Amino acid sequence: MKKSTFRILKVGVACSVLLGGASFGGMVSAATGSAVPTVSISAKITNPVTVKEEILTSSTTYLKTNIHVPQLSGMQDTRYQDQLNDIILSHAHKDLKHWEEEASAAAQKANENGFTYHPYELTIHYELKSNGTEEGIISLVVTTEGATDGTSMPRVDTYNVRNVQEAALVTLQDLFGADYKKKIDEHISKTINEQQDAYFADEFKGIHEEQSFYVENKQAVVVFPKYAIAPGSTGTPEFRIPLEELKAEEGAKPGDAISIVINGNKALQPGFMNETGNRIMLPLREVSEALGFTITWNAEKRSAELTKSESPIWTLVQVGKDQYTVNKMAKPLGAAPIIKEGTMYVPADFFKEVLQANVWAEGKRVTISSNMEKVHK
């Protein structure tokens, strides 16, 4: 059985492209439902996101097209939605231009050599795998396939977004915890070993940080390019992993340590679940400074002032007082700041409600990202 090898390049919205019949891999994420209910950090979305199509056609007779480009509608974060739609549409335009150039060059060469030219074909279609109503996740798969003389190779682009007021890309680590690579590699290796005739067992070297996948029916579906780890007859290999099967962690209990990931980096200090089990407390200084804030400590008043250059956000927190300044008004968050082993801790909601970061809790982990970490081209 002959194997095919293709060169991998990194491109686009946290995707990897496999050229030679390219393949993008996007990022997915999902809340696993293990967040502590009383921590009002994440919420399920009830209104489904929908898709409108934009149809592109070729300006040359050398290329046949069947191009349906998805454009999302109904996201909570309309700015993010516009950015994402622009990226998806621009990728389609680039693909169309590329294939038009390839088709024209092939037609000219055929004419010069007296060959019969058979038009190239370009097909782009999509599937909305998750519409944002389940765990607040939008998962979109776009397949691009160019064909020459009857041979083709699909490129699969996956786009996975947390549908909240400040939308953000989500990752396999969000789904399965810090050791997600080990967990998923073991799952895939087991499947391959059980079906060795269907795969190139020695070609699977483990998933990578920008692994393509989507979320559907409470499953993470890990996607590989055609020919990457299996013969062409297998198509585009997919491995379905129930989210509950490799669940990141059990729900937090009073006193449990809470790991923290800030803008993709693990915090040095953990947080903890408070004694009543209704609030996650996080270290103020480390998280705030990672989000770009400057902290000024007042030892006499046991308070901390938070400011950020070129930002209107200002707030003051004081040990023992459940009041946090939001738009110059004091707002309670259900727990007062406390000092523990020399470190001030505040409720996780502080970073969402006051500092306006993206915050969500899953089991014994909290993930935080700056609102400025939007869509990356």
Side-chain angles (χ1 to χ4, degrees):
M1 190 178 295
K2 187 175 180 180
K3 303 175 187 178
S4 299
T5 304
F6 298 87
R7 184 165 60 94
I8 295 180
L9 302 176
K10 292 182 180 178
V11 179
V13 193
C15 299
S16 62
V17 162
L18 188 63
L19 293 177
S23 176
F24 285 72
M27 290 197 158
V28 189
S29 168
T32 61
S34 57
V36 178
T38 50
V39 179
S40 58
I41 298 174
S42 59
K44 292 188 177 181
I45 311 303
T46 55
N47 296 324
V49 168
T50 58
V51 178
K52 297 179 181 179
E53 291 184 353
E54 181 154 343
I55 298 175
L56 304 183
T57 57
S58 176
S59 60
T60 175
T61 57
Y62 303 129
L63 180 67
K64 294 181 179 180
T65 57
N66 183 17
I67 302 175
H68 297 259
V69 183
Q71 297 287 274
L72 297 174
S73 177
M75 286 182 61
Q76 291 194 66
D77 189 338
T78 55
R79 183 167 173 239
Y80 188 105
Q81 175 180 281
D82 291 343
Q83 291 175 324
L84 182 56
N85 284 338
D86 179 66
I87 288 171
I88 295 171
L89 185 58
S90 66
H91 283 172
H93 277 293
K94 289 177 182 177
D95 286 324
L96 177 58
K97 181 180 179 181
H98 168 76
W99 280 95
E100 285 180 333
E101 292 173 350
E102 291 290 312
S104 296
Q108 182 179 348
K109 185 176 180 180
N111 182 59
E112 291 173 351
N113 291 278
F115 300 144
T116 300
Y117 174 72
H118 299 285
Y120 284 7
E121 298 179 15
L122 177 61
T123 299
I124 299 178
H125 60 90
Y126 64 88
E127 287 185 81
L128 184 63
K129 299 291 187 177
S130 298
N131 63 9
T133 59
E134 185 177 300
E135 309 295 354
I137 301 168
I138 300 168
S139 195
L140 176 68
V141 176
V142 181
T143 303
T144 303
E145 187 165 9
T148 61
D149 294 324
T151 61
S152 66
M153 179 173 158
R155 185 188 79 214
V156 179
D157 303 351
T158 58
Y159 302 88
N160 305 277
V161 179
R162 191 179 298 276
N163 187 23
V164 289
Q165 291 182 352
E166 293 290 344
L169 295 174
V170 284
T171 69
L172 283 170
Q173 182 170 337
D174 293 327
L175 290 171
F176 299 124
D179 58 345
Y180 70 98
K181 288 184 180 180
K182 179 182 177 183
K183 293 177 179 178
I184 295 174
D185 285 350
E186 289 176 351
H187 184 98
I188 293 175
S189 293
K190 180 181 178 182
T191 301
I192 290 176
N193 289 333
E194 291 174 349
Q195 305 174 40
Q196 293 189 22
D197 291 342
Y199 299 97
F200 300 141
D202 57 340
E203 285 295 309
F204 176 63
K205 307 298 182 183
I207 64 171
H208 51 82
E209 292 182 357
E210 296 180 347
Q211 182 67 48
S212 299
F213 66 100
Y214 59 87
V215 173
E216 182 181 40
N217 298 328
K218 296 185 179 181
Q219 295 178 317
V221 185
V222 179
V223 182
F224 289 85
K226 188 176 181 180
Y227 298 112
I229 61 171
S233 58
T234 303
T236 302
E238 294 186 348
F239 298 86
R240 293 181 172 269
I241 309 172
L243 296 181
E244 290 297 317
E245 182 173 319
L246 301 183
K247 192 173 180 179
E249 293 161 305
E250 295 179 356
K253 303 179 184 64
D256 281 351
I258 306 295
S259 63
I260 310 167
V261 176
I262 314 169
N263 290 335
N265 300 310
K266 188 172 182 179
L268 297 177
Q269 289 179 291
F272 62 90
M273 178 61 70
N274 67 0
E275 293 181 357
T276 57
N278 68 346
R279 288 294 181 275
I280 290 176
M281 306 296 289
L282 304 180
L284 175 67
R285 181 174 294 277
E286 182 173 5
V287 177
S288 299
E289 290 182 346
L291 295 173
F293 286 84
T294 299
I295 297 181
T296 302
W297 172 249
N298 186 319
E300 182 179 349
K301 295 182 179 180
R302 303 188 74 193
S303 65
E305 179 184 22
L306 283 76
T307 57
K308 188 174 185 179
S309 60
E310 300 180 0
S311 171
I313 299 176
W314 174 93
T315 189
L316 182 79
V317 298
Q318 188 169 5
V319 174
K321 289 189 176 183
D322 180 16
Q323 58 181 38
Y324 304 86
T325 304
V326 182
N327 297 327
K328 298 182 180 181
M329 296 181 64
K331 176 179 180 177
L333 294 179
I338 66 170
I339 299 291
K340 183 178 179 181
E341 297 180 359
T343 297
M344 178 183 278
Y345 290 83
V346 295
D349 273 326
F350 170 79
F351 300 100
K352 175 186 176 183
E353 301 294 337
V354 181
L355 302 192
Q356 299 179 16
N358 297 311
V359 182
W360 57 90
E362 298 168 342
K364 299 176 185 177
R365 184 177 73 260
V366 169
T367 304
I368 303 172
S369 66
S370 304
N371 281 344
M372 298 194 293
E373 289 197 347
K374 304 297 276 181
V375 180
H376 303 285
K377 292 188 178 180

